Amino acid sequence: MWLKKRMIPQQWQAAKEVIKKIEHAGFEAFIVGGAVRDYYLKKENNDVDIATSAMPEEIQTIFSQTIDVGIAHGTVIVLDCGEPIEVTTYRTESTYSDHRRPDTVEFVRNLQEDLKRRDFTMNAMALSQSGEYIDYYNGRQHIDSKVICAVGEPDQRFEEDALRMLRAVRFAAQLHFSIEENTFEAIRKKAASIEYVAIERIQVELSKIFISAHASFGIDYMEKTTLGDYLHGNFTASNWAHYYSEDRQVGWAYFCLVNGSDLSLLTKYRCSNKDKLFVKTVLDAYESLRNGMSLVDLLRYDTIVLKTSFQFTIWQNCKLELSYEELVGRKNGLPIQHVNELAITGKDLLDWSSKKRGSWIKQTLDAAVEAVLNEEVQNDKQQLKEWFYAFHDEG
Ligand code: ATP
Ligand code: MG
């Protein structure tokens, strides 16, 4: 009944089968966490997790194909039902002396205990295979009133795990929900403890904020909760007012831009070299655009880079003389679309000259590209040869 078309059918069908088999063996099992929240929100979620009263070893006896991914934490992946489904034994978490990891994990037979350790009420619901909600902490009511509310005592919950504070802001940005007052106050109070959290996990949450539907709303919370004060870079919501992107690299590039084009932020947040290269290219293109982009630059930057850097000028309220369509029109109208299309190569230059190999070859080829782009010479081998001799006579 509850299996509607809007869901990823295979995942949900598989989850339902897994639950039935666990129940048949005499245990409890429910869909839990983000999938239940998103189901209630009528949003797609293809990450369906199951919680169960069965111990990991019991799950391994019920199913024939399982992968042991973290038995110590109670997680087994079940492959029997077509799609891999994560099944985790109900557990509680004890003291958190380092503000980020429970000292020990204890398995329990009671669902409510398991739901109690979860971060926010909307993430602490369970769904039975027949479509019934188990909602001890008013998750649905909070979703209806669009609030993010900690389960239990917010101060204590953020004391246990400081990452939850950033997760609250991330969910606010994704869902455009406000953070409930006591939860918000607790974040403000505990904001400094975000420094205990591993930088990689912070990077993941920031990336999610940057690609959220309401990124600037999230950045506003970074400011208001003061969380941003304890992280690298500035989080100033006014800079993000016009921003929107579904691409995390674009988000990181914009974050660097509004921080004075500070590329060192990418190193601080352990972004990949690929990210660094993209961000550097986009920020270079942005500078070039603002200074009236040369034809060589127009040729050099690909459409994604041009589009992104052009977006940045809009988000930064920086007026350019030409529209994006005009810019692309100009790019498409260039005599060549790629340096590879130049009608001559380094070998031609060596044939035409008595000089030895050296940096002059690249310099000359660059100059030839520029001359072709400026329509000083046509992209034709014979004409470029003449241009080369003239160029060399001058030089
Ligand atoms: P997403 O849609 O981004 O995956 P999610 O809510 O599913 O969001 P996950 O990180 O996949 O987030 O975690 C799954 C569930 O585990 C959460 O819904 C929540 O119940 C619980 N959870 C995750 N991280 C924490 C945490 N730091 N503290 C408490 N509970 C957590
Ligand atoms: Mg999830």
Side-chain angles (χ1 to χ4, degrees):
M1 266 270 287
W2 55 278
L3 192 70
K4 308 263 169 60
K5 273 211 189 83
R6 59 186 147 86
M7 293 305 170
I8 306 277
Q10 292 97 328
Q11 272 270 338
W12 284 75
Q13 192 58 51
K16 198 170 171 173
E17 263 180 61
V18 170
I19 294 177
K20 280 186 171 172
K21 286 191 173 144
I22 299 174
E23 286 177 348
H24 190 73
F27 301 98
E28 286 178 14
F30 296 90
I31 294 178
V32 289
V36 185
R37 175 198 69 225
D38 290 342
Y39 180 77
Y40 187 70
L41 280 163
K42 299 183 170 55
K43 281 178 144 210
E44 237 179 53
N45 188 322
N46 39 17
D47 186 17
V48 186
D49 295 327
I50 290 176
T52 182
S53 60
M55 291 295 140
E57 299 75 24
E58 290 165 334
I59 292 297
Q60 287 173 315
T61 355
I62 299 170
F63 298 95
S64 57
Q65 285 175 281
T66 58
I67 308 176
D68 161 9
V69 276
I71 285 229
H73 290 94
T75 304
V76 172
I77 294 181
V78 173
L79 300 171
D80 291 40
C81 302
E83 292 283 318
I85 300 288
E86 262 192 34
V87 179
T88 306
T89 303
Y90 296 159
R91 55 180 217 218
T92 55
E93 291 167 354
S94 65
T95 48
Y96 295 69
S97 34
D98 65 355
H99 305 270
R100 56 185 189 191
R101 268 183 311 246
D103 298 337
T104 54
V105 166
E106 199 182 315
F107 299 139
V108 292
R109 293 280 187 183
N110 177 304
L111 174 66
Q112 187 165 8
E113 281 294 303
D114 180 273
L115 296 176
K116 195 172 153 188
R117 73 171 166 90
R118 295 173 185 270
D119 49 5
F120 305 110
T121 58
M122 63 182 182
N123 292 342
M125 304 187 286
L127 193 62
S128 76
Q129 64 85 20
S130 62
E132 187 198 342
Y133 285 95
I134 290 92
D135 184 8
Y136 299 115
Y137 305 103
N138 298 323
R140 283 170 299 177
Q141 192 195 315
H142 291 147
I143 291 176
D144 291 342
S145 38
K146 296 180 185 288
V147 289
I148 296 159
C149 186
V151 173
E153 194 51 55
D155 274 12
Q156 185 199 333
R157 302 314 308 284
F158 298 134
E159 176 75 26
E160 289 167 358
D161 179 359
L163 179 69
R164 290 171 186 156
M165 301 188 288
L166 198 51
R167 281 174 58 90
V169 172
R170 185 257 282 191
F171 287 120
Q174 287 178 327
L175 303 170
H176 205 235
F177 281 17
S178 55
I179 302 178
E180 180 274 332
E181 216 180 301
N182 293 326
T183 303
F184 176 86
E185 275 312 318
I187 298 178
R188 263 170 51 103
K189 206 161 112 191
K190 300 267 175 216
S193 65
I194 195 68
E195 288 169 335
Y196 293 115
V197 177
I199 200 75
E200 290 83 356
R201 303 193 70 179
I202 292 177
Q203 195 234 96
V204 169
E205 294 302 324
L206 289 181
S207 296
K208 288 186 178 176
I209 293 175
F210 295 157
I211 61 165
S212 290
H214 310 277
S216 70
F217 184 69
I219 304 287
D220 196 37
Y221 266 128
M222 295 297 284
E223 229 184 313
K224 284 191 190 137
T225 57
T226 75
L227 269 178
D229 296 355
Y230 301 95
L231 296 172
H232 305 295
N234 272 304
F235 295 83
T236 308
S238 58
N239 285 328
W240 295 76
H242 307 292
Y243 166 92
Y244 170 78
S245 179
E246 289 175 4
D247 181 329
R248 49 176 292 289
Q249 284 188 327
V250 172
W252 282 97
Y254 195 69
F255 179 56
C256 289
L257 179 72
V258 298
N259 276 285
S261 293
D262 181 1
L263 290 165
S264 76
L265 286 168
L266 300 174
T267 307
K268 289 178 181 145
Y269 283 103
R270 312 254 168 99
C271 292
S272 68
N273 287 336
K274 205 172 152 199
D275 289 348
K276 286 179 187 169
L277 181 64
F278 176 81
V279 172
K280 184 173 179 343
T281 311
V282 166
L283 296 189
D284 285 349
Y286 174 79
E287 270 318 300
S288 175
L289 263 181
R290 288 183 6 134
N291 299 318
M293 186 173 268
S294 69
L295 296 179
V296 174
D297 280 354
L298 194 55
L299 176 75
R300 184 157 68 102
Y301 295 123
D302 66 31
T303 330
I304 292 183
V305 169
L306 285 179
K307 193 170 179 182
T308 308
S309 53
F310 197 92
Q311 278 289 354
F312 286 11
T313 65
I314 297 172
W315 295 337
Q316 288 283 291
N317 285 320
C318 151
K319 291 264 175 297
L320 294 184
E321 280 165 19
L322 77 182
S323 69
Y324 181 64
E325 287 66 32
E326 285 166 334
L327 187 75
V328 171
R330 233 182 242 193
K331 183 173 170 70
N332 292 337
L334 291 176
I336 52 174
Q337 289 300 304
H338 196 279
V339 284
N340 293 347
E341 292 173 24
L342 191 68
I344 58 167
T345 63
K347 185 172 175 305
D348 294 322
L349 295 179
L350 284 167
D351 289 346
W352 299 337
S353 157
S354 53
K355 284 167 79 175
K356 288 207 178 93
R357 267 178 203 287
S359 58
W360 69 273
I361 296 183
K362 183 170 183 312
Q363 284 162 12
T364 310
L365 289 174
D366 286 349
V369 167
E370 200 169 342
V372 167
L373 292 176
N374 288 320
E375 298 183 22
E376 290 158 16
V377 56
Q378 280 188 25
N379 187 31
D380 166 271
K381 192 162 177 175
Q382 194 51 41
Q383 297 208 25
L384 278 161
K385 188 174 180 180
E386 284 163 26
W387 167 88
F388 171 68
Y389 285 126
F391 178 79
H392 265 247
D393 285 344
E394 280 168 26

